[in-house]
Amino acid sequence: MVKKMPGEARVVIIGGGVIGCSLAYHLSKLGWSDVVLLERKKLTCGTTWHAAGLVGQLRATSNMTKLAQYTAGLYGTLEAETGQATGFKQNGSISIATDNERFEELKRGASMARTFGLEVNLLTVEEIKGLWPLIETKGLVGGVFLPKDGQTNPIDTTMALAKGARMAGVRILEDTKVTAVHQRDGRVTGVATEAGDIAAEIVVNCGGMWGREVGRMAGVNCPLHACEHFYVLTEEIDGLPSDLPVMRDPGGCAYYKEDAGKILLGAFEPNAKPWGMNGIPDDFSFDELPEDFDHFMPVLEGAMQRVPALENIGIRKFFNGPESFTPDDRYMLGEAPELKNFFVACGFNSIGIQSAGGAGKVLAEWIVEGHPPMDLSDVDVRRMAPYQGNKTYLYQRATEALGLLYAMHWPYYQYQTARNVRTSPLHERLCDRGACFGETAGWERANWFAPTGVEAKYDYSYKRQNWFEYAAAEHKAVREGVALFDMTSFAKFLVQGPDAESVLQRICANDVAVPPGRVIYTQWLNPRGGIESDLTLTRLAEDSYLVVTAAAVAGRDMDWLKRNIPEDARVVVTDVTSGEAVLSIMGPKSRDLLSQLTSADLSNAAFPFGSAQEIDIGMAHARATRLTYVGELGWELYVPTEFARGIFDAVVEAGDPMGLKMAGMHVLDSCRIEKAYRHWGHDITDEDTPLEAGLGFACAFDKNQPFIGRDALLRQKETGIGKRLVQFQLEDPEPLLYHNEPIYRDGEIVGYLSSGNYGHHLGAAIGLGYVHHADGVPADFIKSGSYEIEVACERFVAKASLRPLYDPKSERVKV
């Protein structure tokens, strides 16, 4: 029978796995029925069909947990709505710990779960045995139980979503391969298939492990790589309870699921096997990969010790199938920065089933409303850099990514694979000074410095890690002496043209109509008043500005900037990140140090805070900017990359006799959190407004041109705010804070920490977090409460402050 190919559709979805079908279902729920889903072979035939079907609800952040909770709720109602069975049941899940560090991780997760409204119970070893009778408890120290976690049949669940979409008018065409993505003037216009073209306003890449290839058809970067994923299915076990919870043994790299009277044992081994390096076979459909029993055997041997019954039960099926993984183990969602109206939903890292409901819902809302319905920066496709689509890079990173799902999620963990992709011109100099590097957006950045004779290597822990005291010394240098940070990884965009000022006046909340040589701290807001970016601009000339932002958000910020420049504006934007190195000289002795290297007047009168000047330094020239992210007197030196090493050497030669210390990113963060400086992506997101975040001072409501989001902020001023960012300091100097720890006010949860670190100068852990109250959060409300922060299920008394706990009047910054 010949298929009738529609000539056009409002939305074309590429890919008929659980993600594509969920998106189609949710678009139809929003009234968009003019949707066509195209599947190259048969629905679920890629990776969905062989998924384990686990439906966990606790994720790493609040919004990701909300989406997982929604998914579980949706799966519980699909059968009644569509008449299609799904096999969904909520038996709960247990995670077990075989050492105290793992148990601390689980307890911290349990504390976090409470802030998200999840039911969670800590388990003793005896309670674990009661819930999972087959387990051998030797070596266990405890566990956690989430009663509402579930499991489902992946094929049936996908078919239910597809049926629901069809019932609302969505057309689903199988055996229809997309061969090209059409575009014109930077906007998608449709797709080509083997059966003909379809014109479309919107195209969505739900291609699963083909997602990278589909993206490349459109000129869009979708970095992912398939890996072999293994599990075994046992013979039937007499008396095996059908309501047995899913059990996760992350220390053993294994998970266990009851499956029709049998046990399914799956693995997330530390060293994975990438697959499909030379492309996925064109006829791949419901296929399995060759067995590799030797690779799986270490997990199986450990499982037989943990569940002794496995030694005497036959294996009915040894399965090996591909799953796709991204470089950071987070899926990709949203509109691609390279092509308007081309959306992405792929790279689900073996959690596609438990993510599909929520991901389909929010992407459908994003498409319909024109913006994401919540902060989705964790999974926003714009976080991906072009280099991450490199085949060699993806192959190397994929070997690590799969295993990280069950590895310890250590604070400050650094990837081991695909490193040294981007290095500063100062990289070798920092190596010589004992730098221990971390990686952000591919950049190798010094996180801390080891003294002579100490290996620059992490020894991970939830307690004080091996670098804690070294960082304390760096912190002290920033506060009392002088320190040097390499901030070359800053993203830098040059905005030039006759309309540069007027364009930026609309995009920036602060006033950019300043004289050349002035620096503006500002936010970029969306029409709802949410903070899309937090950055600085330096006015270089009447028609030229330099935008400086964080490396991790370079792609997102460039996209936001370009999308908000009118088509007829006389403005050109150029990414000049690689052209300049940045040396940040910070501390009360920074003026004394730099004065040895330049004839420029660095006095407060001649060179005030928030200004930039071209100066001679050493034997070169630099643009010196007087700014700080650590709360001290200091300058950032922007120098052409070829001069960076010479200037570094000059600074070090002059600074060593003064006690100059190299300082890393961990101390940059510990200093900024003492000063309560906000960090985008943690303390401020596109869901938070400047009024809620305490940044109203950076909004120029009366400037000559209204900025994006101004009207929303004015309305919020009238109606009041229901949350407010507050700084906390623990009374007990021992516990450490990271983020997501619950905030208690007078014994009730009122929020959670958005970021945390140790304040070496203040002598205790410091956190920032929003306090919520439906009737408003005036200063009196904050001051009148008594506060506790929960760390690993234990509460600690905390002091709350709306003013920075360190140098509240910023006197040290402006001396």
Side-chain angles (χ1 to χ4, degrees):
M1 180 177 177
V2 178
K3 293 176 293 187
K4 184 177 180 182
M5 178 64 61
E8 60 181 3
R10 194 171 192 180
V11 181
V12 168
I13 299 170
I14 304 172
V18 68
I19 304 301
C21 290
S22 176
L23 175 60
Y25 171 89
H26 284 94
L27 283 171
S28 73
K29 289 295 183 183
L30 295 175
W32 282 32
S33 59
D34 186 13
V35 175
V36 174
L37 185 151
L38 303 175
E39 165 52 46
R40 54 181 288 279
K41 294 294 184 181
K42 302 295 182 184
L43 296 185
T44 79
C45 74
T47 62
T48 295
W49 72 275
H50 62 71
L54 309 186
V55 187
Q57 297 182 73
L58 180 59
R59 307 304 303 157
T61 63
S62 174
N63 283 349
M64 293 300 101
T65 299
K66 289 177 184 176
L67 298 189
Q69 287 177 282
Y70 170 81
T71 298
L74 172 66
Y75 290 173
T77 62
L78 272 179
E79 183 172 350
E81 177 189 348
T82 66
Q84 166 70 50
T86 62
F88 179 69
K89 56 183 180 179
Q90 288 178 294
N91 293 350
S93 75
I94 299 169
S95 293
I96 61 174
T98 53
D99 56 60
N100 288 325
E101 289 277 26
R102 178 71 73 173
F103 198 31
E104 169 139 0
E105 178 184 65
L106 295 180
K107 287 189 289 185
R108 283 180 176 265
S111 290
M112 182 175 69
R114 290 169 184 157
T115 72
F116 303 160
L118 277 180
E119 184 180 351
V120 59
N121 303 313
L122 290 183
L123 299 177
T124 64
V125 174
E126 293 74 21
E127 289 170 329
I128 294 172
K129 182 72 172 179
L131 288 168
W132 231 87
L134 281 69
I135 194 170
E136 166 56 59
T137 59
K138 183 179 179 181
L140 296 187
V141 297
V144 297
F145 178 50
L146 283 89
K148 298 297 178 62
D149 278 3
Q151 59 192 75
T152 197
N153 182 300
I155 293 178
D156 290 346
T157 301
T158 304
M159 293 305 178
L161 290 166
K163 185 174 181 181
R166 284 191 180 106
M167 289 164 58
V170 172
R171 288 167 289 182
I172 297 177
L173 302 179
E174 298 182 304
D175 299 310
T176 306
K177 182 179 178 180
V178 172
T179 57
V181 175
H182 296 316
Q183 54 186 285
R184 183 174 58 251
D185 299 328
R187 184 180 301 272
V188 74
T189 59
V191 301
T193 79
E194 295 170 326
D197 290 0
I198 306 177
E201 296 176 21
I202 293 165
V203 175
V204 189
N205 176 7
C206 297
M209 61 182 173
W210 290 271
R212 180 171 174 266
E213 296 175 32
V214 173
R216 291 203 160 200
M217 290 183 194
V220 169
N221 183 37
C222 298
L224 56 82
H225 202 300
C227 285
E228 299 182 31
H229 181 50
F230 302 88
Y231 60 73
V232 296
L233 190 65
T234 70
E235 299 287 352
E236 287 194 30
I237 301 174
D238 291 339
L240 187 68
S242 62
D243 61 352
L244 196 68
V246 169
M247 184 174 72
R248 296 178 175 89
D249 177 13
C253 308
Y255 61 88
Y256 306 77
K257 183 190 80 164
E258 185 277 333
D259 191 311
K262 302 175 282 292
I263 286 181
L264 185 151
L265 165 66
F268 287 104
E269 67 279 12
N271 298 304
K273 295 181 64 180
W275 178 79
M277 289 74 71
N278 298 317
I280 301 169
D282 194 56
D283 60 351
F284 194 94
S285 177
F286 297 110
D287 286 353
E288 299 182 29
L289 303 181
E291 294 183 0
D292 189 343
F293 208 77
D294 290 341
H295 185 80
F296 187 77
M297 197 60 193
V299 174
L300 181 58
E301 289 174 344
M304 288 189 292
Q305 294 180 32
R306 183 58 60 204
V307 182
L310 294 176
E311 292 188 73
N312 304 311
I313 300 169
I315 293 177
R316 174 174 291 186
K317 176 70 175 177
F318 183 99
F319 181 82
N320 180 12
E323 296 274 2
S324 61
F325 291 83
T326 62
D328 57 7
D329 271 344
R330 290 179 276 140
Y331 55 87
M332 295 177 288
L333 204 69
E335 188 175 6
E338 301 95 333
L339 183 62
K340 290 181 180 178
N341 285 357
F342 185 87
F343 286 79
V344 174
C346 57
F348 277 79
N349 305 284
S350 272
I351 59 166
I353 297 298
Q354 69 183 33
S355 303
K361 177 180 183 292
V362 294
L363 187 58
E365 292 169 351
W366 192 337
I367 290 170
V368 171
E369 299 296 331
H371 60 81
M374 55 169 51
D375 171 32
L376 295 171
S377 56
D378 283 340
V379 294
D380 193 323
V381 67
R382 290 176 292 177
R383 75 186 187 279
M384 293 300 182
Y387 79 91
Q388 292 178 298
N390 177 279
K391 186 177 177 181
T392 302
Y393 168 88
L394 283 171
Y395 175 81
Q396 290 190 22
R397 179 56 60 85
T399 63
E400 180 181 13
L402 180 145
L404 289 179
L405 294 180
Y406 274 22
M408 285 290 295
H409 297 89
W410 296 116
Y412 307 109
Y413 176 80
Q414 302 299 323
Y415 291 105
Q416 302 300 304
T417 56
R419 294 292 298 269
N420 295 308
V421 178
R422 304 172 82 180
T423 58
S424 157
L426 304 176
H427 185 79
E428 285 74 20
R429 296 288 200 274
L430 301 182
C431 284
D432 293 342
R433 305 283 290 204
C436 184
F437 291 96
E439 180 256 317
T440 296
W443 284 101
E444 294 293 324
R445 308 195 303 183
N447 279 347
W448 56 277
F449 287 82
T452 303
V454 174
E455 185 180 6
K457 182 179 179 181
Y458 279 92
D459 182 8
Y460 293 114
S461 171
Y462 271 94
K463 308 299 183 185
R464 285 160 170 73
Q465 296 186 11
N466 61 314
W467 49 266
F468 186 86
E469 294 303 326
Y470 311 140
E474 296 172 26
H475 192 113
K476 182 178 181 181
V478 175
R479 293 283 182 248
E480 300 178 11
V482 61
L484 187 155
F485 299 85
D486 177 14
M487 300 303 298
T488 300
S489 61
F490 276 150
K492 313 167 195 81
F493 311 143
L494 199 58
V495 182
Q496 298 171 293
D499 296 334
E501 179 184 305
S502 62
V503 166
L504 290 171
Q505 279 288 61
R506 178 176 173 272
I507 295 174
C508 298
N510 214 338
D511 190 355
V512 305
V514 297
R518 295 299 299 173
V519 182
I520 309 107
Y521 169 60
T522 189
Q523 287 78 47
W524 292 348
L525 309 181
N526 57 46
R528 302 167 305 286
I531 300 171
E532 293 286 344
S533 186
D534 181 74
L535 42 72
T536 64
L537 285 77
T538 300
R539 188 161 199 173
L540 304 177
E542 288 298 324
D543 61 351
S544 178
Y545 292 81
L546 182 72
V547 176
V548 178
T549 189
V553 293
R556 177 192 173 97
D557 287 356
M558 176 64 90
D559 178 64
W560 184 263
L561 176 61
K562 287 185 174 180
R563 284 175 183 270
N564 284 286
I565 296 176
E567 290 185 4
D568 60 350
R570 297 170 298 168
V571 169
V572 175
V573 178
T574 309
D575 186 340
V576 295
T577 299
S578 299
E580 290 185 320
V582 183
L583 286 73
S584 179
I585 317 297
M586 293 290 149
K589 296 182 180 179
S590 57
R591 181 180 283 123
D592 295 339
L593 192 163
L594 290 174
S595 294
Q596 300 178 57
L597 302 172
T598 182
S599 59
D601 186 350
L602 302 181
S603 68
N604 194 51
F607 205 140
F609 181 78
S611 62
Q613 297 180 26
E614 299 283 342
I615 66 172
D616 288 324
I617 184 162
M619 291 189 290
H621 202 63
R623 183 176 63 259
T625 301
R626 190 172 164 194
L627 281 178
T628 182
Y629 194 51
V630 296
E632 300 292 343
L633 173 70
W635 280 264
E636 293 170 354
L637 305 178
Y638 289 75
V639 300
T641 53
E642 66 269 28
F643 293 103
R645 286 182 288 273
I647 290 180
F648 176 90
D649 292 342
V651 169
V652 168
E653 183 179 358
D656 275 348
M658 301 173 57
L660 173 69
K661 206 157 186 66
M662 299 294 114
M665 294 297 151
H666 292 339
V667 164
L668 187 81
D669 190 63
S670 65
C671 287
R672 74 93 191 167
I673 207 165
E674 283 190 329
K675 192 66 175 69
Y677 288 149
R678 280 60 168 153
H679 181 266
W680 196 92
H682 286 96
D683 310 311
I684 46 179
T685 71
D686 59 7
E687 282 191 70
D688 309 309
T689 73
L691 302 181
E692 296 163 341
L695 297 173
F697 68 87
C699 297
F701 289 98
D702 57 352
K703 65 179 179 178
N704 60 6
Q705 185 175 352
F707 57 86
I708 299 170
R710 176 178 179 272
D711 292 344
L713 295 189
L714 291 175
R715 289 192 297 270
Q716 193 174 58
K717 275 191 169 186
E718 292 180 4
T719 59
I721 57 177
K723 67 177 184 180
R724 195 164 182 174
L725 193 64
V726 179
Q727 188 181 29
F728 297 92
Q729 178 177 339
L730 298 187
E731 286 190 2
D732 187 335
E734 187 62 25
L736 300 180
L737 300 174
Y738 299 112
H739 64 279
N740 286 337
E741 293 88 351
I743 302 167
Y744 287 82
R745 181 186 182 275
D746 297 340
E748 295 185 0
I749 293 179
V750 292
Y752 56 90
L753 296 185
S754 49
S755 63
N757 205 325
Y758 197 84
H760 295 282
H761 182 84
L762 296 175
I766 310 296
L768 291 172
Y770 287 93
V771 171
H772 296 249
H773 189 241
D775 295 329
V777 282
D780 288 345
F781 177 82
I782 300 298
K783 294 174 183 177
S784 63
S786 59
Y787 293 88
E788 295 171 301
I789 307 296
E790 183 176 322
V791 179
C793 298
E794 183 179 355
R795 297 188 202 176
F796 295 89
V797 175
K799 173 172 65 177
S801 178
L802 288 169
R803 302 181 71 195
L805 292 167
Y806 180 78
D807 189 22
K809 296 182 180 180
S810 295
E811 294 170 333
R812 298 178 64 84
V813 172
K814 299 176 182 177
V815 293

